[in-house]
Amino acid sequence: MLGVAGILRPMSEQSNRAVLLLWSPDRPGIVAEVSHFIFTYGGSIVDSNQHYDPVSETFLMRIEWDITAFALPEERIASAFEPIAIKFNMTFRLELSSRTTRMAIMVSKYDHCLYDLLLRNREGETHADICLVLSNHETLSNVAELFDVPFEHVSITKETREVAEEKQRSLLRDYRVDLVVLARYMQILSPTFVADYPNRVINIHHSFLPAFVGARPYHQAYERGVKIIGATSHYVTDDLDQGPIIEQDVTRVSHRDTIRTMVQKGRDLERLVLSRAVKLHLEHRVMAIGNRTVVFE
Amino acid sequence: MLGVAGILRPMSEQSNRAVLLLWSPDRPGIVAEVSHFIFTYGGSIVDSNQHYDPVSETFLMRIEWDITAFALPEERIASAFEPIAIKFNMTFRLELSSRTTRMAIMVSKYDHCLYDLLLRNREGETHADICLVLSNHETLSNVAELFDVPFEHVSITKETREVAEEKQRSLLRDYRVDLVVLARYMQILSPTFVADYPNRVINIHHSFLPAFVGARPYHQAYERGVKIIGATSHYVTDDLDQGPIIEQDVTRVSHRDTIRTMVQKGRDLERLVLSRAVKLHLEHRVMAIGNRTVVFE
Amino acid sequence: MLGVAGILRPMSEQSNRAVLLLWSPDRPGIVAEVSHFIFTYGGSIVDSNQHYDPVSETFLMRIEWDITAFALPEERIASAFEPIAIKFNMTFRLELSSRTTRMAIMVSKYDHCLYDLLLRNREGETHADICLVLSNHETLSNVAELFDVPFEHVSITKETREVAEEKQRSLLRDYRVDLVVLARYMQILSPTFVADYPNRVINIHHSFLPAFVGARPYHQAYERGVKIIGATSHYVTDDLDQGPIIEQDVTRVSHRDTIRTMVQKGRDLERLVLSRAVKLHLEHRVMAIGNRTVVFE
Amino acid sequence: MLGVAGILRPMSEQSNRAVLLLWSPDRPGIVAEVSHFIFTYGGSIVDSNQHYDPVSETFLMRIEWDITAFALPEERIASAFEPIAIKFNMTFRLELSSRTTRMAIMVSKYDHCLYDLLLRNREGETHADICLVLSNHETLSNVAELFDVPFEHVSITKETREVAEEKQRSLLRDYRVDLVVLARYMQILSPTFVADYPNRVINIHHSFLPAFVGARPYHQAYERGVKIIGATSHYVTDDLDQGPIIEQDVTRVSHRDTIRTMVQKGRDLERLVLSRAVKLHLEHRVMAIGNRTVVFE
């Protein structure tokens, strides 16, 4: 029999897990059928969440199980599940803890989010394989080096934008990247780039979206005289700062705050919000549905 | 086929729901078996949550389903489920939305939590049958009257404590009370009283427990010079302010706060925290396990 | 000698106080001169705050003192101060605790903010003379009655808007109203109305401004999929939801929240944020500067 | 005339500032006299705060001014002020921005607070001269090296405790340390050590004090089943975890949190709370009064 303590630690700490994410028109019997499937092959359900989205009339489910004693080899689980998916007209995604997400971090010159992501991953808070730091400046190559992560520099000018992006995409392919994290990367990605990684590019925007879209949000916040500032992490889509929101947080400011101190307070927010969003994504807890997300914490 | 929008509204807004709460030594197959049980009789699962508590080595589950088309009459569901409970060595509780919780509110002289509970219930935020306001003072009888709730006065002195409590218990029985809410009730209940309502007496303590147990917590907080004050809602046990915590919240204070302004800020906390705890209990989202709670929000 | 405890309680609890608010181009010596003025006449400074606003290049100051032993009668303080104001090219406002702010509350059909404002004032958290509840519906007349506050009904239709507003303004004049609080009042005020009460009409908007300006902000928030909702209290200007912000607060939401539960959570925010803004205004702690506020808490 | 922008930036960004902190039995005329003193010598007041503490019957004041055009040399300001201090029976402290606080960080093996303090100081959020990292382990010498800060190792065992502490105190003297920050330093300081630095040793305790004093607070929090955890930064006194609190903050936890994830969430709190407390101290905004603090933010 499996040690109980072992069975129930979350995926982030465990290497023998499968997670099934599924989107389906609502039909009675889904939970019963899915849990029966797992039980039949000897899986032990560790976590299970569901949600019905009334806007899109979609049923969403996340189910995580221990596959130590699973009667199917990992590579055959998805195909074994397929008949159920067809029966209920589901879209599904199977994630396995044995396959660590390969993550690239794109940066420009700010280092605070980069440091934060690297430190947390090293300390075991997140479990990504950070395989690349990609930048349009040389500035942060030493940080990448400090953490033994390959650093690639692709400079971008107005004229070279298209070619440069082609090169970036090629690098991301070469490094077999699953997830792109924009850690205060100061360039806008083209629709072509975005299409390569649907709901797999995470950005941090330094405002409480949808307030203060676009450039210099702290300046906008200062001028509007708000009493609270925020940060927002979201998947990148073709519409600037309009993608599905994963996580947000806020902090108080007052008339005593200058733009300079707002930027400082904001840095703490950016770090926390981006790292939480990345962690939730890495644990396969975020399901996009239209322009919103369901986050099974 | 059932209307989808109808199927998935939470219990609080719906009258055709069943909720099963179960505590079990962890065993593979529970989720599959329980969801199969519901599916077999034509139930449609609306919400399902689970948790494994490593301290007590207990698996806890809450599952809510629509019983509109359920093939079993309400009064036979529990007995039909019993064989599964025996098989997995479970403790379980079945709650039905058709049976509204009968709730008594015990107060002394403070009216802010009483008003808050009555207003929220009238506005439909909570769905209790508030059948009694019970007090050791006459002070708040007019509030009860305003909301058409029966008011009973049982005065308490040192000498009459035992007799008085006997009378209180008798009244609670007469009114067939399921849940007792102490809305700043300033007396301590005896173990006998508490034993009548295990995990069914909810108290609000005006501090961030376990800090400032006992009397005059705002005074204690002021003297200690804390920068944040809180409120805690918990089930009442024989140990003063030591029962399982359901909900807590906090707010900032500074050297500018006097005990008077702390009390004012605290009133807002007390209202919010107590009403959230009561709402969670009424929706059968709180499962006690030892001296802690699992809250399936 | 004055009793020390008496000297230093804040204005909200005290009846022998003066508060001077002043706006000035920055010049050395202001603090010294103002504090000397107070000391000369035997005043005892209780609180003093200052701020320099770099955008407008304005120095703002709030100074509160005990006038129990002040050598000038109340009605002569302002004129005695005038020479200093002229010397430093100041704008100033003198407030006296002996003159309680006369406050009107305008409502439509929602009662939660109205109840909250009335209860807090009755409990002594705020010290206004709530002299009028003014509504475009009869719905809430009973609430006003419960608190012994005069209720006036002025119905508004598209055709009668202008006449109706004339009548409202006339009523506010008749009741000698200093401060108008829009407690979820669902009509837009004309520039003429607003001009009568510059920075003396406080509104509560049920979003975290500047996000979700205008109608149905909870619906907008739901559709955008934000993870945090808010409420904003601001002075009313001619631009809808664009006036100087006094106070904001937020609360978490998730995919589990429906518009209905957002509205419920929002009600708590609206109550808290509006009452805090009103309290700050009543204690003369809010100084508008352009479209922002300085709040001396 | 002084440039306005220059006059009003806070001390943290400015090198021509004086800050006067004073404790006094309350007497009318203090504010007038102090501001007159500053004005007489050509100082320009940048910030001024006051508070009356009713428990100790003490008046506290913090006043910050620009000394660019001050008619007194820095070393003579204190003696020039002395007659006023004597007249009002004040205790006072004069701080000058030209004299940067020399700060030592004491650590054991945890690096997260150390990194945080070093990074923020390098980025200009704080303005200390971090002159020493002092540890009872060699572990973090490389971090100190990375930031070019001298590292001293003094190992401690039960037997050598007294000698070791003597050596620590000697090192702190050698480095002319003004402020000692315990960044998760896992040893208790003796009264002798504490007496060297009254209200100049800042500790971070990983709980919401006074809850969970002493060892393993996350374990205590887990066992008690709290729904919120916190961190507390305070001055160190002879009573363990009982010194004057400077800053606290909290974050939500749930039954899903393990001790491991509490520790992770706690690290973020510890970093934020300690760095805020250190920043407040460095800007001379914290005034201890008995076992509490007045924090003039």
Side-chain angles (χ1 to χ4, degrees):
Chain A
M1 202 192 112
L2 295 170
V4 154
I7 289 176
L8 288 127
R9 276 194 267 141
M11 185 161 181
S12 57
E13 307 179 24
Q14 208 66 13
S15 61
N16 50 348
R17 292 293 171 77
V19 171
L20 196 61
L21 303 178
L22 55 89
W23 292 253
S24 170
D26 190 37
R27 283 263 291 283
I30 292 180
V31 178
E33 188 115 0
V34 173
S35 51
H36 182 72
F37 167 83
I38 292 167
F39 178 63
T40 301
Y41 290 103
S44 180
I45 296 172
V46 168
D47 201 6
S48 165
N49 287 95
Q50 55 179 84
H51 178 67
Y52 176 76
D53 178 57
V55 176
S56 59
E57 302 191 348
T58 306
F59 175 81
L60 299 96
M61 188 174 177
R62 178 193 188 276
I63 193 158
E64 178 177 341
W65 71 98
D66 187 285
I67 55 170
T68 311
F70 211 57
L72 284 174
E74 292 196 356
E75 64 278 9
R76 286 189 46 211
I77 299 175
S79 58
F81 185 72
E82 207 131 308
I84 298 175
I86 290 165
K87 176 176 169 189
F88 288 99
N89 201 17
M90 289 172 186
T91 305
F92 76 97
R93 212 172 90 206
L94 179 74
E95 303 282 351
L96 296 159
S97 58
S98 61
R99 187 181 176 324
T100 308
T101 301
R102 292 178 65 82
M103 170 172 148
I105 306 176
M106 291 179 74
V107 291
S108 292
K109 291 180 170 174
Y110 292 117
D111 64 359
H112 58 286
C113 285
L114 176 61
Y115 262 116
D116 194 67
L117 291 167
L118 291 166
L119 279 166
R120 286 179 200 270
N121 205 58
R122 195 177 70 184
E123 285 172 3
E125 263 187 61
T126 51
H127 291 268
D129 178 356
I130 302 180
C131 58
L132 175 64
V133 173
L134 177 55
S135 182
N136 56 332
H137 295 280
E138 294 275 17
T139 322
L140 301 179
S141 62
N142 64 326
V143 182
E145 198 181 333
L146 197 68
F147 287 82
D148 284 322
V149 176
F151 179 88
E152 300 275 359
H153 171 231
V154 179
S155 72
I156 300 179
T157 62
K158 262 191 188 166
E159 294 72 33
T160 63
R161 177 168 305 277
E162 240 169 287
V163 181
E165 206 179 63
E166 194 50 56
K167 190 154 172 218
Q168 292 175 327
R169 293 171 59 214
S170 160
L171 281 164
L172 294 172
R173 277 193 303 272
D174 292 350
Y175 281 91
R176 289 169 295 117
V177 164
D178 302 307
L179 173 68
V180 178
V181 177
L182 308 184
R184 297 297 312 276
Y185 177 67
M186 307 301 279
Q187 304 283 325
I188 292 171
L189 305 180
S190 78
T192 315
F193 190 122
V194 172
D196 284 356
Y197 299 92
N199 291 334
R200 291 192 290 137
V201 182
I202 297 178
N203 185 42
I204 179 72
H205 183 73
H206 40 314
S207 87
F208 182 81
L209 287 176
F212 311 129
V213 166
R216 296 162 67 88
Y218 294 125
H219 288 75
Q220 294 183 56
Y222 181 83
E223 273 152 38
R224 182 60 189 90
V226 292
K227 300 302 186 190
I228 288 174
I229 57 169
T232 304
S233 193
H234 62 94
Y235 288 125
V236 174
T237 60
D238 293 351
D239 297 320
L240 184 65
D241 301 334
Q242 301 293 326
I245 292 170
I246 304 168
E247 171 67 344
Q248 304 188 284
D249 211 343
V250 298
T251 197
R252 288 211 163 253
V253 292
S254 78
H255 62 272
R256 301 184 68 95
D257 280 287
T258 60
I259 288 169
R260 189 171 185 274
T261 62
M262 281 190 181
V263 167
Q264 286 174 357
K265 290 182 173 181
R267 273 205 296 258
D268 285 325
L269 283 178
E270 294 161 27
R271 270 188 281 246
L272 286 172
V273 170
L274 180 59
S275 70
R276 275 189 225 142
V278 167
K279 183 177 167 70
L280 289 166
H281 179 95
L282 290 171
E283 296 179 3
H284 316 299
R285 299 186 177 280
V286 189
M287 298 180 75
I289 179 81
N291 204 45
R292 290 166 299 127
T293 62
V294 166
V295 179
F296 289 126
E297 275 179 283
Chain B
M1 202 191 113
L2 295 169
V4 156
I7 289 176
L8 287 128
R9 275 193 269 140
M11 186 160 181
S12 56
E13 307 179 22
Q14 209 65 15
S15 60
N16 50 348
R17 292 292 171 76
V19 171
L20 196 61
L21 303 178
L22 54 89
W23 292 253
S24 171
D26 189 36
R27 283 263 291 282
I30 292 180
V31 178
E33 188 115 359
V34 172
S35 50
H36 182 73
F37 167 82
I38 293 167
F39 179 63
T40 300
Y41 290 104
S44 178
I45 296 171
V46 169
D47 200 7
S48 164
N49 287 96
Q50 55 180 84
H51 177 68
Y52 176 76
D53 177 57
V55 176
S56 59
E57 301 192 349
T58 305
F59 174 81
L60 298 96
M61 188 173 177
R62 177 192 188 277
I63 192 157
E64 178 177 342
W65 71 98
D66 188 285
I67 56 171
T68 313
F70 211 59
L72 284 174
E74 293 194 356
E75 65 277 10
R76 287 189 44 212
I77 300 175
S79 58
F81 185 73
E82 207 131 307
I84 297 176
I86 290 164
K87 175 177 169 188
F88 289 99
N89 201 18
M90 290 171 186
T91 306
F92 77 97
R93 212 172 90 206
L94 179 75
E95 301 283 350
L96 297 160
S97 57
S98 62
R99 187 180 176 326
T100 307
T101 301
R102 293 178 64 84
M103 171 173 148
I105 305 176
M106 290 179 74
V107 291
S108 292
K109 291 180 171 175
Y110 292 118
D111 64 359
H112 58 286
C113 285
L114 176 61
Y115 261 116
D116 194 67
L117 292 167
L118 290 166
L119 279 166
R120 286 179 200 270
N121 205 58
R122 195 176 71 183
E123 286 172 4
E125 265 186 59
T126 51
H127 291 267
D129 178 357
I130 302 180
C131 58
L132 176 63
V133 173
L134 178 54
S135 182
N136 56 331
H137 295 280
E138 295 274 17
T139 321
L140 301 180
S141 63
N142 64 326
V143 182
E145 198 181 333
L146 196 69
F147 288 80
D148 284 322
V149 175
F151 179 89
E152 301 275 1
H153 172 231
V154 178
S155 71
I156 299 179
T157 61
K158 263 192 188 167
E159 293 71 34
T160 64
R161 178 169 304 278
E162 238 168 287
V163 181
E165 205 178 65
E166 195 50 55
K167 188 153 173 219
Q168 291 174 327
R169 292 171 60 214
S170 160
L171 280 165
L172 293 173
R173 275 193 304 271
D174 292 350
Y175 281 91
R176 289 169 295 116
V177 165
D178 302 307
L179 173 68
V180 179
V181 177
L182 309 183
R184 298 296 313 276
Y185 177 67
M186 307 302 278
Q187 302 284 325
I188 292 171
L189 306 179
S190 78
T192 314
F193 190 122
V194 172
D196 283 356
Y197 298 93
N199 291 333
R200 292 193 289 136
V201 181
I202 298 179
N203 185 40
I204 179 74
H205 184 74
H206 40 314
S207 87
F208 182 81
L209 288 176
F212 311 129
V213 165
R216 296 164 64 91
Y218 294 124
H219 288 74
Q220 294 183 55
Y222 182 83
E223 273 152 39
R224 182 59 189 91
V226 291
K227 300 301 185 189
I228 289 174
I229 56 170
T232 303
S233 193
H234 62 93
Y235 289 124
V236 174
T237 60
D238 292 352
D239 296 320
L240 183 64
D241 302 332
Q242 301 292 327
I245 292 171
I246 304 168
E247 171 68 346
Q248 303 188 286
D249 211 344
V250 298
T251 196
R252 287 211 164 254
V253 291
S254 78
H255 62 272
R256 301 184 68 95
D257 280 288
T258 59
I259 287 170
R260 191 172 184 275
T261 63
M262 281 189 181
V263 167
Q264 286 174 358
K265 290 182 174 183
R267 273 204 296 256
D268 284 325
L269 283 178
E270 293 161 28
R271 270 188 282 245
L272 287 172
V273 170
L274 179 59
S275 69
R276 275 189 225 141
V278 168
K279 183 177 167 70
L280 289 166
H281 179 96
L282 290 171
E283 297 179 2
H284 316 299
R285 299 186 176 282
V286 189
M287 297 179 75
I289 179 81
N291 205 44
R292 290 166 299 127
T293 62
V294 165
V295 179
F296 289 126
E297 274 179 283
Chain C
M1 201 191 113
L2 296 170
V4 155
I7 289 176
L8 286 126
R9 275 194 267 140
M11 186 163 181
S12 57
E13 306 179 23
Q14 208 65 14
S15 61
N16 51 348
R17 291 294 169 77
V19 171
L20 196 60
L21 303 178
L22 54 90
W23 292 253
S24 170
D26 189 36
R27 283 264 290 284
I30 292 180
V31 179
E33 189 115 1
V34 172
S35 51
H36 182 72
F37 167 83
I38 293 167
F39 179 63
T40 301
Y41 290 104
S44 179
I45 296 171
V46 169
D47 200 6
S48 165
N49 287 96
Q50 55 180 85
H51 178 66
Y52 177 76
D53 177 57
V55 176
S56 60
E57 301 192 349
T58 305
F59 174 81
L60 299 95
M61 188 174 178
R62 178 193 188 278
I63 193 158
E64 179 177 341
W65 72 97
D66 187 284
I67 56 170
T68 312
F70 211 57
L72 284 173
E74 293 195 357
E75 64 279 10
R76 286 189 45 210
I77 299 176
S79 57
F81 185 73
E82 207 132 307
I84 297 175
I86 290 165
K87 176 176 169 188
F88 289 99
N89 200 17
M90 290 172 185
T91 306
F92 76 97
R93 213 171 89 206
L94 179 75
E95 302 283 351
L96 296 160
S97 58
S98 61
R99 189 184 175 322
T100 308
T101 301
R102 291 177 67 83
M103 171 171 147
I105 305 177
M106 291 178 73
V107 290
S108 292
K109 291 180 171 174
Y110 293 118
D111 65 358
H112 58 288
C113 285
L114 177 61
Y115 262 115
D116 193 67
L117 291 167
L118 290 166
L119 279 166
R120 286 179 200 270
N121 204 59
R122 194 176 71 185
E123 285 172 5
E125 264 187 61
T126 51
H127 291 268
D129 178 357
I130 301 180
C131 57
L132 176 63
V133 173
L134 177 55
S135 181
N136 56 331
H137 295 281
E138 294 275 17
T139 322
L140 302 179
S141 62
N142 64 326
V143 182
E145 198 181 333
L146 196 68
F147 287 82
D148 284 321
V149 176
F151 179 88
E152 300 276 359
H153 172 231
V154 178
S155 72
I156 300 179
T157 62
K158 263 192 189 166
E159 294 71 33
T160 65
R161 178 169 304 278
E162 239 168 286
V163 181
E165 207 178 64
E166 195 50 57
K167 190 155 173 217
Q168 291 174 327
R169 292 171 60 214
S170 161
L171 281 164
L172 293 173
R173 276 193 303 271
D174 292 350
Y175 281 91
R176 289 169 295 118
V177 165
D178 301 308
L179 173 67
V180 178
V181 177
L182 309 184
R184 296 298 313 275
Y185 177 67
M186 306 302 278
Q187 303 285 324
I188 293 171
L189 306 180
S190 77
T192 314
F193 190 122
V194 172
D196 284 356
Y197 299 92
N199 291 333
R200 292 194 289 137
V201 182
I202 297 178
N203 185 41
I204 179 73
H205 183 74
H206 41 314
S207 87
F208 182 81
L209 288 176
F212 311 130
V213 166
R216 296 162 66 89
Y218 294 125
H219 288 74
Q220 294 182 55
Y222 181 83
E223 273 152 38
R224 181 61 189 90
V226 292
K227 301 302 185 190
I228 288 175
I229 57 170
T232 303
S233 194
H234 62 93
Y235 288 125
V236 173
T237 60
D238 293 351
D239 297 320
L240 184 64
D241 301 333
Q242 301 293 326
I245 292 170
I246 304 168
E247 171 67 344
Q248 303 188 285
D249 211 343
V250 297
T251 197
R252 288 211 162 253
V253 292
S254 79
H255 62 271
R256 300 182 69 94
D257 280 287
T258 59
I259 287 169
R260 190 172 184 278
T261 63
M262 282 189 181
V263 167
Q264 286 174 358
K265 290 183 174 182
R267 274 205 295 258
D268 284 325
L269 283 178
E270 294 161 28
R271 270 188 282 246
L272 286 172
V273 171
L274 179 59
S275 69
R276 275 189 225 144
V278 167
K279 183 176 167 71
L280 289 166
H281 179 96
L282 291 171
E283 296 180 3
H284 316 299
R285 299 185 177 281
V286 189
M287 297 179 75
I289 179 81
N291 205 44
R292 291 167 297 126
T293 61
V294 165
V295 179
F296 289 125
E297 275 178 283
Chain D
M1 201 191 113
L2 295 169
V4 154
I7 290 177
L8 288 127
R9 276 194 267 140
M11 187 162 181
S12 57
E13 307 179 24
Q14 208 65 15
S15 61
N16 50 348
R17 292 295 170 77
V19 171
L20 195 61
L21 303 178
L22 54 89
W23 292 253
S24 170
D26 189 36
R27 283 265 289 284
I30 292 180
V31 179
E33 187 116 358
V34 172
S35 51
H36 182 72
F37 168 81
I38 293 167
F39 179 62
T40 301
Y41 290 103
S44 179
I45 296 171
V46 169
D47 201 6
S48 165
N49 287 95
Q50 57 180 84
H51 178 66
Y52 176 76
D53 178 58
V55 177
S56 60
E57 301 192 348
T58 305
F59 174 81
L60 299 96
M61 187 173 178
R62 179 193 188 276
I63 193 157
E64 178 176 342
W65 71 98
D66 187 286
I67 55 170
T68 312
F70 212 57
L72 283 174
E74 293 195 355
E75 65 278 10
R76 288 190 42 211
I77 300 176
S79 58
F81 185 73
E82 207 131 308
I84 298 175
I86 291 165
K87 175 175 169 189
F88 288 99
N89 201 16
M90 290 172 185
T91 306
F92 77 98
R93 212 172 90 205
L94 179 74
E95 301 283 351
L96 297 159
S97 58
S98 61
R99 185 175 178 332
T100 308
T101 302
R102 293 178 65 82
M103 170 172 149
I105 305 176
M106 291 180 74
V107 290
S108 291
K109 292 180 170 175
Y110 292 118
D111 64 359
H112 58 287
C113 285
L114 176 61
Y115 262 116
D116 193 67
L117 291 167
L118 290 166
L119 278 166
R120 286 178 199 271
N121 204 57
R122 195 175 72 183
E123 285 172 4
E125 265 186 60
T126 50
H127 291 267
D129 178 357
I130 302 181
C131 58
L132 176 64
V133 173
L134 177 55
S135 182
N136 56 330
H137 295 281
E138 294 275 16
T139 322
L140 301 180
S141 62
N142 64 326
V143 182
E145 197 181 334
L146 196 69
F147 287 81
D148 284 322
V149 175
F151 180 89
E152 301 275 2
H153 172 232
V154 178
S155 72
I156 300 179
T157 61
K158 263 192 189 167
E159 294 72 31
T160 64
R161 178 169 303 278
E162 240 169 285
V163 181
E165 206 178 63
E166 195 50 56
K167 189 152 173 219
Q168 291 174 327
R169 292 172 59 214
S170 161
L171 280 164
L172 293 173
R173 275 192 305 270
D174 292 349
Y175 281 91
R176 289 169 294 117
V177 165
D178 301 308
L179 173 68
V180 178
V181 177
L182 309 184
R184 299 296 314 276
Y185 177 66
M186 307 302 278
Q187 303 284 325
I188 292 171
L189 305 180
S190 78
T192 315
F193 190 123
V194 172
D196 284 355
Y197 298 92
N199 291 333
R200 291 193 290 137
V201 181
I202 298 179
N203 184 41
I204 179 73
H205 184 74
H206 40 314
S207 87
F208 182 81
L209 287 176
F212 310 131
V213 166
R216 297 163 65 89
Y218 295 125
H219 288 75
Q220 294 183 55
Y222 182 84
E223 272 152 38
R224 182 60 189 91
V226 290
K227 300 302 185 190
I228 288 175
I229 56 169
T232 303
S233 193
H234 62 92
Y235 289 124
V236 173
T237 60
D238 292 352
D239 296 321
L240 185 65
D241 301 333
Q242 301 293 327
I245 292 170
I246 304 168
E247 171 67 346
Q248 303 188 284
D249 211 344
V250 297
T251 197
R252 287 211 164 254
V253 292
S254 79
H255 62 272
R256 301 184 66 94
D257 280 286
T258 59
I259 287 170
R260 190 173 184 275
T261 63
M262 281 189 181
V263 168
Q264 286 174 358
K265 289 181 174 184
R267 273 204 296 258
D268 284 325
L269 282 178
E270 294 162 27
R271 271 189 281 247
L272 286 171
V273 170
L274 180 58
S275 69
R276 275 190 225 144
V278 168
K279 183 177 167 69
L280 289 165
H281 179 95
L282 290 171
E283 296 180 3
H284 315 299
R285 298 185 177 282
V286 189
M287 298 179 74
I289 179 80
N291 204 43
R292 290 166 299 127
T293 62
V294 166
V295 179
F296 289 125
E297 276 180 282

